[in-house]
Amino acid sequence: MISILLIPFFLCFILVLIHVYFGAYVLKRGILFIDLALAQWAAFGYLIGYAYHIENPIYLFLCGFAATMIAAFILALVKPLFAAVNLQEAIIGVMYILAAAAAMAFISSTGLEVHHLKEMLTGHLLFVQWQDLIVTMLLYTVVGGVCFVFHSYLFQSRSQVSEFLFYTVFGVVVTSSVKLVGLLLVFSFLVLPILSVILYVKSLKKQILLGWGVGMVSACLGLMASMILDIPPSLCVILVLCVSLVLGIISYVVANRFQIIR
């Protein structure tokens, strides 16, 4: 069992590192569903590639990334219009719905098989190969380097250009990860580990560090549980992440009440 889970665990380890990092800034900006929207557009791009029988992984990635960039451009373009009335999150939701509806319609009209829809949501975590893991690690290392060098511009500036570049860098991550583990787990890694610890610490650095711990432990437990319960690993990891969030909230409430009693 350990040998089967080795590659999925290392992949989850890498995904947790990059997604929790971005997740902290996504929540700070108040654009919670940006990951879900960009991931859905990436999945739509992959579906178009499948429909045209594109098998080369690089060309498939470019299909997904091109669709993601369309969404990133639109979001950066309309941000000043809706941010002023605090409705940016609503536009992100609309972008998600648009991509989801377009993907469903595309599957129906082109006769793509149902497994493409399932893969779009849950990926194929258990069947990731070593070469996929190595390519993902190299890609995220480059992304991490770009984020480190241009951190102030990408994460602190709020101009339209910096917003678009932030979405672009984020889009590279999402386009890569959604192909491997599916839209649902990508969103879960982005949001749930940070939400599990955000009540305890206000420092962004501490949130990221604790989020990494929660994400990695949850991924490990989820993968082992998937083998025992015969549940798809992506779904099992998501369930464990949700349990971590619930436990975090309960322990926070109990701790606060204990302090009040004292």
Side-chain angles (χ1 to χ4, degrees):
M1 184 176 74
I2 295 178
S3 60
I4 296 175
L5 297 179
L6 193 59
I7 296 178
F9 173 76
F10 278 122
L11 179 61
C12 286
F13 179 86
I14 296 171
L15 293 178
V16 165
L17 287 178
I18 195 73
H19 280 84
V20 169
Y21 177 76
F22 272 101
Y25 289 97
V26 163
L27 291 176
K28 183 180 178 181
R29 289 181 178 218
I31 48 175
L32 175 62
F33 294 106
I34 186 63
D35 185 41
L36 198 58
L38 292 182
Q40 184 63 67
W41 277 84
F44 182 38
Y46 280 121
L47 287 174
I48 294 175
Y50 291 138
Y52 286 95
H53 308 291
I54 297 175
E55 298 181 359
N56 187 294
I58 296 177
Y59 293 156
L60 269 177
F61 176 84
L62 291 177
C63 288
F65 186 63
T68 305
M69 287 302 91
I70 293 173
F73 177 77
I74 294 173
L75 289 171
L77 190 65
V78 302
K79 182 206 169 185
L81 300 175
F82 292 92
V85 290
N86 200 29
L87 290 175
Q88 187 179 4
E89 189 78 348
I91 294 301
I92 293 173
V94 170
M95 292 297 293
Y96 167 73
I97 293 171
L98 174 60
M104 299 289 187
F106 189 76
I107 289 174
S108 176
S109 63
T110 57
L112 286 174
E113 297 179 9
V114 178
H115 77 84
H116 288 299
L117 177 60
K118 182 179 179 182
E119 185 173 313
M120 183 177 72
L121 295 174
T122 61
H124 53 275
L125 179 58
L126 205 58
F127 302 102
V128 173
Q129 303 298 314
W130 277 111
Q131 54 266 34
D132 298 321
L133 181 65
I134 294 172
V135 170
T136 302
M137 183 175 61
L138 292 175
L139 178 63
Y140 291 171
T141 300
V142 173
V143 170
V146 170
C147 292
F148 179 78
V149 174
F150 300 101
H151 182 272
S152 297
Y153 191 71
L154 288 173
F155 295 98
Q156 296 176 4
S157 175
R158 296 300 177 91
S159 67
Q160 278 184 291
V161 175
S162 65
E163 286 285 330
F164 176 70
L165 292 177
F166 172 79
Y167 293 147
T168 300
V169 175
F170 190 33
V172 172
V173 173
V174 168
T175 304
S176 172
S177 56
V178 76
K179 177 67 169 60
L180 298 171
V181 300
L183 187 151
L184 299 178
L185 186 54
V186 167
F187 180 72
S188 299
F189 275 148
L190 180 86
V191 173
L192 292 176
I194 291 294
L195 283 180
S196 299
V197 303
I198 202 169
L199 294 174
Y200 296 91
V201 291
K202 303 303 178 184
S203 166
L204 206 61
K205 289 183 179 180
K206 290 182 178 179
Q207 288 175 6
I208 293 172
L209 290 173
L210 290 175
W212 281 341
V214 170
M216 290 173 189
V217 171
S218 297
C220 184
L221 294 176
L223 288 172
M224 290 190 293
S226 71
M227 292 289 98
I228 298 172
L229 302 175
D230 195 24
I231 296 174
S234 293
L235 300 180
C236 219
V237 172
I238 292 170
L239 293 174
V240 175
L241 284 167
C242 290
V243 170
S244 299
L245 174 59
V246 172
L247 291 176
I249 294 172
I250 292 175
S251 60
Y252 178 78
V253 171
V254 170
N256 272 2
R257 289 188 175 180
F258 178 73
Q259 289 176 359
I260 293 173
I261 292 173
R262 289 182 59 187

